[in-house]
Amino acid sequence: MKEILLCKYGEIILKGANRRYFEDMLERQLKRKARAHGNFNVYRAQSTLYVEPLDEAADMDGMLADACRVFGIISIARAAVCEKSMESICATVKQYIPSALAGKRSFKVEAKRSDKRFPLTSIQLSQEIGGRLAEAHPGVEVDVHHPDYTVYVEVRDLSAYVHGPAEPGAGGLPTGVGGRAMVLLSGGIDSPVAAYMMAKRGVEVEAVHFFSYPYTSQLAKDKVIELARLVTKYSGRMTVNVVSFTEIQEAIRDNCPEEFFTLIMRRFMMEIAQRIAKGDGCGALITGENLGQVASQTMEAMTVTGAVVDIPIFMPLVGMDKKDIISIAREIGTLDTSILPYEDCCTVFTPKHPKTKPTLGQVENAEKKLDREALIARALENVEKIK
Ligand code: ATP
Ligand code: MG
């Protein structure tokens, strides 16, 4: 029996002139994923993307798992394809559904006729197919209100399709429709989640990581690369710009008052990230900041760090509780890597009593002995780009 994936993308966001663009982007993402799983034909009709295997070798399980991670899709049904006749539909239901009914007490059939040339209405179809399926399975009752299992039949323009409950899709908007932004990616729990959340809003994500060898180890860097790789399962390809931060951190340690260390360091991070971002066509920065979580995440501190940047800084986690951030990290598969115990450059030279309510004037004064421009220029000379 021939199977196909029916990927639905909902109607709400499709209104207006952007619809075509949205659909093109989504089709492109699915095609890119499909290439990794064999020979598939990906096409669209009636607000649905069809993913059709072209030979036996095409890996439907792998393709289904990947389709569940494509942003913009709200559900994916793995369905049997059949001809648009009652005979063919009923034969397919009888052959395709029985194993799913095993152990169930009740079922219903929900048929939808979107090809209005088909002679039976949706209700007539549901009743007819439900009746025949019940005859073939005397132990399972029809229950239209609270069934244990629902059989779906869709009579569409191209063919008819039979399937069980659909898998939930990743939701959000297709990657690319929201522009491109650069995430400041640390080895922590928050920033990979922040990258994921912006990718979910259709943003193409690039990354920058600051590392301070020998204060932070190669293992800490590898961990960040691994986190980026995990995020790309959702976001598509990503380049991680690795910036050596040692000289800047040492200069701060040697020339600035301790209570401002973290703030000054973060201002350098932001400014360097912005320059790389602009060079790479990114229109915004993304951070994993969360209001009140640490001393450098107060409103005053954010004002001071944000002052060096003139593009938007997206902080999708700013108002969330840590436990909710952790549950997203677990769901997207980054948590186990994030909690590996390697140091981050933020934890090197941490002040004992960081300033939580700084003013911009104080911080500018605290960093005045530094030659900011020269330090930034040298850091930008040796950026390692890892794809
Ligand atoms: P995370 O869990 O993402 O590390 P955090 O709670 O540890 O966040 P901070 O250490 O204050 O918070 O960092 C705030 C944000 O600054 C991070 O979410 C990340 O976006 C950015 N950041 C921190 N350290 C680095 C780094 N070494 N390289 C790049 N970005 C960083
Ligand atoms: Mg951190």
Side-chain angles (χ1 to χ4, degrees), residues 186-191 344 346-347:
S186 69
I189 294 172
D190 302 334
S191 46
D344 178 65
C346 279
T347 54

Side-chain angles (χ1 to χ4, degrees), residues 74-118:
I74 55 167
S75 74
I76 302 116
R78 181 175 183 157
V81 187
C82 60
E83 264 176 45
K84 289 192 283 182
S85 68
M86 269 321 274
E87 270 33 74
S88 173
I89 292 171
C90 288
T92 305
V93 169
K94 281 187 188 161
Q95 195 185 341
Y96 195 59
I97 295 299
S99 62
L101 287 182
K104 304 279 193 303
R105 273 168 311 182
S106 60
F107 77 95
K108 76 167 171 180
V109 173
E110 208 170 293
K112 189 165 173 233
R113 172 190 70 152
S114 49
D115 174 1
K116 301 297 179 209
R117 291 166 307 179
F118 195 79

Side-chain angles (χ1 to χ4, degrees), residues 189-190 192-193 196-197 234 317 320-336 338-339:
I189 294 172
D190 302 334
V193 174
Y196 162 83
M197 290 190 52
Y234 297 89
L317 314 184
M320 289 176 67
D321 285 353
K322 191 75 188 186
K323 73 168 176 27
D324 297 329
I325 300 172
I326 289 174
S327 68
I328 298 177
R330 187 176 290 121
E331 198 181 303
I332 64 173
T334 53
L335 184 65
D336 291 343
S338 286
I339 59 183

Side-chain angles (χ1 to χ4, degrees), residues 20-281:
R20 243 328 247 292
Y21 176 58
F22 174 104
E23 290 179 318
D24 286 345
M25 295 299 263
L26 201 50
E27 190 173 322
R28 197 186 305 169
Q29 299 297 335
L30 264 181
K31 280 186 168 149
R32 188 176 292 162
K33 295 269 187 207
R35 280 201 286 273
H37 299 289
N39 224 345
F40 283 92
N41 191 13
V42 177
Y43 50 93
R44 62 179 196 248
Q46 296 182 290
S47 296
T48 299
L49 275 151
Y50 296 73
V51 182
E52 182 185 348
L54 295 177
D55 54 36
E56 288 287 304
D59 171 16
M60 283 289 271
D61 294 333
M63 185 62 222
L64 176 60
D66 250 357
C68 289
R69 290 190 284 253
V70 172
F71 293 126
I73 293 174
I74 55 167
S75 74
I76 302 116
R78 181 175 183 157
V81 187
C82 60
E83 264 176 45
K84 289 192 283 182
S85 68
M86 269 321 274
E87 270 33 74
S88 173
I89 292 171
C90 288
T92 305
V93 169
K94 281 187 188 161
Q95 195 185 341
Y96 195 59
I97 295 299
S99 62
L101 287 182
K104 304 279 193 303
R105 273 168 311 182
S106 60
F107 77 95
K108 76 167 171 180
V109 173
E110 208 170 293
K112 189 165 173 233
R113 172 190 70 152
S114 49
D115 174 1
K116 301 297 179 209
R117 291 166 307 179
F118 195 79
L120 275 67
T121 65
S122 298
I123 293 170
Q124 289 169 332
L125 253 173
S126 302
Q127 287 171 342
E128 180 68 27
I129 301 165
R132 294 209 208 170
L133 194 57
E135 264 170 37
H137 297 271
V140 195
E141 279 176 19
V142 175
D143 179 348
V144 292
H145 299 297
H146 305 287
D148 281 352
Y149 189 80
T150 302
V151 179
Y152 295 87
V153 175
E154 303 187 41
V155 180
R156 300 176 145 256
D157 287 350
L158 298 169
S159 281
Y161 305 88
V162 173
H163 59 88
E167 300 276 335
L173 301 175
T175 305
V177 303
R180 201 206 291 236
M182 179 146 296
V183 63
L184 285 84
L185 194 63
S186 69
I189 294 172
D190 302 334
S191 46
V193 174
Y196 162 83
M197 290 190 52
M198 293 319 300
K200 185 169 177 177
R201 292 313 297 166
V203 173
E204 235 176 88
V205 180
E206 304 289 355
V208 57
H209 175 66
F210 298 92
F211 99 120
S212 295
Y213 188 79
Y215 302 105
T216 62
S217 63
Q218 178 64 34
L219 285 173
K221 178 169 141 189
D222 293 346
K223 170 181 166 179
V224 171
I225 306 301
E226 173 61 9
L227 286 171
R229 197 188 62 77
L230 292 169
V231 173
T232 60
K233 287 189 182 175
Y234 297 89
S235 65
R237 55 191 146 192
M238 185 191 298
T239 301
V240 183
N241 296 271
V242 181
V243 180
S244 172
F245 210 46
T246 317
E247 190 195 350
I248 291 174
Q249 286 199 291
E250 288 176 342
I252 297 171
R253 177 195 62 191
D254 296 341
N255 294 289
C256 305
E258 187 185 301
E259 59 183 342
F260 293 107
F261 279 1
T262 310
L263 285 166
I264 297 173
M265 184 190 79
R266 297 196 48 73
R267 278 161 60 85
F268 274 97
M269 283 188 182
M270 290 294 199
E271 193 160 351
I272 293 169
Q274 166 165 264
R275 295 214 199 167
I276 300 174
K278 287 183 176 175
D280 289 354

Side-chain angles (χ1 to χ4, degrees), residues 290-301:
N290 181 238
L291 191 64
Q293 192 183 91
V294 290
S296 60
Q297 296 177 10
T298 63
M299 277 187 212
E300 293 80 358

